[in-house]
Amino acid sequence: MDISEIKSELSKLKTFPEYRILSKRIAKDDYRVFLDNNPKDSFEMKILYGYVLGYARDDIDVLLRYFEDFIPYVGDWAVCDTFCQSFKTARKHRAKMFELLMKYRDSRKEFESRVVSVTLLSHFLVDDYIDEVIEVLDNLYDGEYYAMMGTAWAIATIMAKYPDKCVKYLKSNVEISDRTYNKALQKCRESFRVSKEIKDWTKTVKKQ
């Protein structure tokens, strides 16, 4: 399928599950041709890029190059989250993926920061990486709304999986802003995976 045919099909789709079906077809064909020629000129084409890359099977260094090439085109939360969460190949190659992400840990750009936080919360909340993830999140840029929300979401997800570590972290002298801290507490309270005891605790430690 060439790009014009893909755009024609895209115009008929209404739901993300339909996007995934089309993405699987593209990934099974020649995903490189699609990614290399994707103009990334619309929300739909960007979403499709993320899904196709997520389904693609290739050498990890090739896939990471496509991942990094797309980061400058991430400009809204939906594209960011679809792109990062779909890249499940990261779980089989965490060392290389983490190394790539660390190139952006000091970025002051809103969506580069969110790419880091959402990729970490999606693929790195495991025993071997959890301490490093907390350290990165604590120093990640959170000065703009979607960067802040990404960090807060990641912390709340850590609370669900590693409550003892997360409570210890939040009780420490955290580097995240008060706004991010309070948003993380809010997201903990909204989570179905966080215990009532911890939710009650978050109500007592809000920063003014």
Side-chain angles (χ1 to χ4, degrees), residues 4 19-20 25 32 35 71 79 114 158 164 207:
S4 61
Y19 278 56
R20 293 190 186 100
R25 286 168 51 198
R32 293 194 193 190
L35 296 185
I71 291 175
V79 168
R114 189 177 175 100
I158 292 170
D164 292 342
K207 294 186 176 182

Side-chain angles (χ1 to χ4, degrees), residues 131-148:
D131 292 332
E132 288 181 272
V133 168
I134 291 172
E135 180 184 357
V136 171
L137 293 172
D138 192 42
N139 294 280
L140 199 60
Y141 174 65
D142 61 354
E144 294 176 80
Y145 181 78
Y146 288 107
M148 179 272 292

